[in-house]
Amino acid sequence: MGNIDLHVHSNASDGSCTPAELLKIASEKQLAAIALTDHDTVSGIEEFLRESARYDLDAVPGLEVSVLYKDSAIHITGLFIDHKNQPLMELLGEVRENRDKRNELIIGKLQELGYEITLDEVLGVASGESIGRPHFAKILVEKGYFSYPQEVFDKCLKKGMSGYCPRMLPDPERAIKLIHEAGGMAFWAHPVHRADENLSYVESVLNVFIKLGLDGIEAYYSTFTREQQEMLLRVAEKYNLAVSGGSDFHGENMPGVEMGSGFGGLAVPFSIYGGILGKRKTGHST
Ligand code: AMP
Ligand code: MN
Ligand code: MN
Ligand code: MN
């Protein structure tokens, strides 16, 4: 059985590939299952599911939504969601409205800082309805202000930098509940990403989120060290959580991260998918 990748973005949000292109790449890489997990939109899922009939792999409809926890964003992926579920779509609509408001503020800040960039240019590079910072980064690189997208984040767009603006995020309880109501399972995505969070941090978040119905955690991820992966696998076992894993592939919007293999060292075995399907069958409380 091939490996899997349960965290992939299309151009419905901040990835550069269409859902159809993602499936073609997955098939070329002989992946046995991939999940489309766009930020705050399910508008790529229709094409994703339709096109998946051409390939011998499982296509899992999903999404990624950031929620607010103690002044920070925690990312939740929902897998196996019904992308037509009305209450979930309403939540995503609200989240995108808050994105749009934040995006206007970012444009104002960037212009004040002297960058020549307009909202129309940002809308022009985004092909979907969920517009985010990687679209800003793309333009700033194209205009020669920076050399690559990561540099734009590190020097300008990430929290603490001059071009950063927060956006209003939904609360975890509501997001997890709506993922469940749409038939999905909720996972904490990249629990130890982009920070030196440790075991005690992970457990403190889990103590809250498990009560809210969290089903699992992403223990395999492009940037994780072997130690982090193993720590998260142990934590999942301790709390009887499902385990997920994926690359967070964004195509050329995140150079260096490949589907299935991340920066080269990632491999999510098929047994992880089997484990999720097993937990899905035994059900979870909504
Ligand atoms: P947004 O959803 O608009 O706030 O933008 C967040 C997206 O930008 C994430 O989904 C990543 O694709 C990317 N991103 C966020 N933080 C960073 C970072 N520090 N370095 C590189 N990319 C980042
Ligand atoms: Mn992203
Ligand atoms: Mn994320
Ligand atoms: Mn992601």
Side-chain angles (χ1 to χ4, degrees), residues 8-19 22 36-38 41 43-45 127 249-250 253:
V8 169
H9 294 274
S10 79
N11 63 358
S13 67
D14 57 4
S16 65
C17 303
T18 64
L22 293 174
L36 182 63
T37 54
D38 275 312
T41 180
S43 64
I45 303 279
S127 22
F249 181 68
H250 283 69
N253 293 346

Side-chain angles (χ1 to χ4, degrees), residues 7 9 39 64-66 74-77 189-190 193-194 218 221 248 250:
H7 191 156
H9 294 274
H39 303 280
E64 181 173 15
V65 59
S66 310
I74 289 224
H75 294 198
I76 301 287
T77 47
H190 45 73
H193 184 39
R194 290 194 184 114
E218 190 171 56
Y221 189 73
D248 211 356
H250 283 69

Side-chain angles (χ1 to χ4, degrees), residues 33-235:
I34 64 167
L36 182 63
T37 54
D38 275 312
H39 303 280
D40 308 325
T41 180
V42 290
S43 64
I45 303 279
E46 199 83 32
E47 173 183 330
F48 182 65
L49 294 179
R50 190 181 62 241
E51 292 293 314
S52 70
R54 300 156 61 112
Y55 302 98
D56 182 23
L57 55 77
D58 274 18
V60 179
L63 55 74
E64 181 173 15
V65 59
S66 310
V67 299
L68 187 66
Y69 176 67
K70 292 196 173 173
D71 291 335
S72 300
I74 289 224
H75 294 198
I76 301 287
T77 47
L79 298 182
F80 306 103
I81 49 139
D82 167 12
H83 61 291
K84 294 190 174 146
N85 179 273
Q86 203 55 40
L88 182 61
M89 284 203 283
E90 270 163 34
L91 169 74
L92 300 183
E94 281 172 36
V95 172
R96 289 194 303 271
E97 266 175 39
N98 288 322
R99 261 185 189 279
D100 294 344
K101 285 184 197 150
R102 187 266 330 242
N103 291 345
E104 281 182 35
L105 296 176
I106 296 182
I107 284 291
K109 262 198 178 171
L110 292 176
Q111 288 174 345
E112 239 170 68
L113 289 165
Y115 297 105
E116 282 188 22
I117 182 168
T118 65
L119 195 56
D120 277 348
E121 287 172 320
V122 175
L123 299 177
V125 299
S127 22
E129 61 182 7
S130 178
I131 294 146
R133 285 178 286 167
H135 300 116
F136 291 80
K138 189 166 192 210
I139 291 170
L140 293 174
V141 170
E142 273 170 13
K143 294 201 170 188
Y145 292 115
F146 299 92
S147 310
Y148 44 91
Q150 185 64 53
E151 189 189 12
V152 192
F153 275 92
D154 290 342
K155 296 188 176 162
C156 181
L157 290 180
K158 77 176 185 188
K159 200 169 179 177
M161 294 297 136
S162 53
Y164 175 78
C165 290
R167 63 185 166 96
M168 283 244 292
L169 299 176
D171 68 85
E173 188 169 4
R174 180 166 171 224
I176 293 173
K177 185 168 162 273
L178 290 179
I179 287 171
H180 284 167
E181 280 180 16
M185 291 171 77
F187 290 82
W188 181 9
H190 45 73
V192 290
H193 184 39
R194 290 194 184 114
D196 52 1
E197 291 104 351
N198 52 24
L199 180 60
S200 61
Y201 166 76
V202 170
E203 292 199 297
S204 71
V205 174
L206 285 179
N207 278 323
V208 175
F209 277 58
I210 287 173
K211 289 192 191 90
L212 303 181
L214 188 78
D215 299 287
I217 56 174
E218 190 171 56
Y220 296 79
Y221 189 73
S222 294
T223 62
F224 289 176
T225 61
R226 193 45 61 103
E227 289 73 28
Q228 288 174 319
Q229 182 177 303
E230 259 144 40
M231 181 265 279
L232 291 167
L233 287 172
R234 279 195 301 275
V235 168

